[in-house]
Amino acid sequence: NVEWFTHSSTEKLLDEYGDRMRALEEDGHVLVYVGKARKEGVVGSHLPLIKTQSILPLGAEEMANLLMDSSRVKIYNKMSLGRKDIR
C-alpha cells in the first residue's frame, strides 16, 4: 500500500490549469507524484516511489515499439537512469 503526495511542480500546474486533464491536454505537461510505502520494514519500503502521468501523442503500435526499445527510454521517462535488455 502506498501513500501518494503531489509534487510541488504538479501542485503549481493544477493551480494554474484548474484540473488534471486540462494540464495534461493543453501543453503536454507531466504530472509527478511521490509515494511512500505505508508499511515499514517491507523490502524496498525505504526507497522513494515516483508516479507520473502524461498524454503521449502516439498510436498503439508506436507506443509499443517505444516501450520495447530500451535505447529510447529517456524519450518518455526523463527521470530514468537507463535500462538494459537482458539476453
Side-chain angles (χ1 to χ4, degrees):
N1 209 351
V2 177
E3 184 175 5
W4 293 103
F5 303 94
T6 307
H7 188 271
S8 59
S9 63
T10 297
E11 286 181 8
K12 289 178 188 174
L13 286 171
L14 295 176
D15 286 345
E16 181 181 339
Y17 286 93
D19 72 28
R20 182 176 53 85
M21 286 310 294
R22 280 193 56 216
L24 291 171
E25 292 170 350
E26 301 232 351
D27 292 317
H29 292 292
V30 176
L31 304 181
V32 179
Y33 303 89
V34 180
K36 179 174 175 25
R38 291 180 195 231
K39 191 172 185 179
E40 304 231 357
V42 177
V43 175
S45 63
H46 65 287
L47 298 172
L49 302 166
I50 298 174
K51 173 171 69 170
T52 62
Q53 185 176 23
S54 184
I55 296 175
L56 299 175
L58 302 172
E61 188 173 345
E62 285 179 289
M63 185 67 186
N65 289 335
L66 179 64
L67 292 173
M68 296 303 290
D69 186 349
S70 292
S71 69
R72 299 172 63 199
V73 71
K74 291 191 180 209
I75 291 173
Y76 63 88
N77 186 352
K78 307 286 188 233
M79 295 179 186
S80 174
L81 298 176
R83 185 177 78 198
K84 292 185 181 179
D85 292 327
I86 298 174
R87 296 180 193 255

